[in-house]
Amino acid sequence: MNLLDSLGSLRSLAAGPWIYPVVATSILLDVFLPVLPSGFLVITAATAAATATGVSPGVPSLLPLLLCAAGASVLGDFLAYRLALRGGARLDRAIGRSRRLSLAQERLGTALARGGGLLVVLARFAPAGRSVVSLGAGAAKRRVEEFLPWSALAGVTWASYSVGLGWLGGQWLGATWFSAGVSTLALFLAGGLAAYLIRRPAAAPAPAS
């Protein structure tokens, strides 16, 4: 497949008004099904938009794509939070059986109580971190005003980073599958770094002199 064929096939995948609801649905559901390729869809659409001249018919625009991705991210987080909030004793028992969920719930509660909700932002990039944090916030009965502003910041940050990666990749490498792949790899690397920072033990407080 030559360069023109590759460019055309990528644009044909991301073309049409359907790309926005598909991206939104994927992002909305991947809080419950983290295997969905929502990040790749955002990057692919942004890559196709990067080399569009003017307003190209069927090619997504960056600002609507950014708003679509950020809005779906926040809505998905909120739905998971509300589901866990109403989950009752059954969900509490399920979380208690999972060391990962229990630890995330404890760390999230401490972070939010101290106003350090950047954990929510980091978790948005980590594999399945969004699910763990959103469900953990609800199960821990955190107030919505403690969780939702940080979720909104996380959604905007993740969407901006993903759209930015796709746009930069398209500008530097053209609207090709290789460009989308490189940008997706950069998103995965950010996720790996976020997972490392989340799992890193907190530094012990210095002894009083």
Side-chain angles (χ1 to χ4, degrees):
M1 180 181 291
N2 60 36
L3 179 61
L4 291 177
D5 291 338
S6 176
L7 186 148
S9 61
L10 188 149
R11 280 189 176 169
S12 65
L13 177 67
W18 60 266
I19 189 63
Y20 298 113
V22 167
V23 166
T25 301
S26 177
I27 295 171
L28 185 66
L29 294 179
D30 81 358
V31 68
F32 305 104
L33 299 169
V35 296
L36 292 177
S38 55
F40 176 73
L41 286 175
V42 173
I43 285 173
T44 300
T47 302
T51 55
T53 56
V55 181
S56 301
V59 178
S61 299
L62 291 177
L63 182 57
L65 180 64
L66 173 60
L67 295 176
C68 173
S73 179
V74 177
L75 180 58
D77 288 358
F78 182 71
L79 290 177
Y81 162 81
R82 291 292 297 177
L83 179 66
L85 190 65
R86 296 174 176 270
R90 180 178 298 180
L91 182 62
D92 291 340
R93 288 194 297 270
I95 289 178
R97 289 193 295 267
S98 170
R99 181 177 177 274
R100 184 180 182 185
L101 285 172
S102 298
L103 180 61
Q105 180 177 322
E106 179 183 348
R107 293 189 66 183
L108 176 65
T110 302
L112 291 177
R114 294 176 178 174
L118 285 177
L119 175 63
V120 179
V121 180
L122 280 176
R124 185 61 185 85
F125 290 83
R130 176 191 181 200
S131 306
V132 171
V133 165
S134 298
L135 292 170
K141 305 297 187 290
R142 308 308 306 183
R143 297 193 306 272
V144 67
E145 59 266 26
E146 290 181 312
F147 171 70
L148 194 57
W150 289 105
S151 171
L153 177 60
V156 171
T157 303
W158 176 84
S160 300
Y161 182 73
S162 301
V163 170
L165 282 178
W167 183 84
L168 286 174
Q171 288 291 313
W172 290 343
L173 301 174
T176 64
W177 290 112
F178 176 73
S179 171
V182 169
S183 298
T184 302
L185 177 61
L187 183 63
F188 285 155
L189 290 176
L193 176 61
Y196 168 76
L197 293 175
I198 290 171
R199 293 170 183 166
R200 187 177 60 177
S209 56

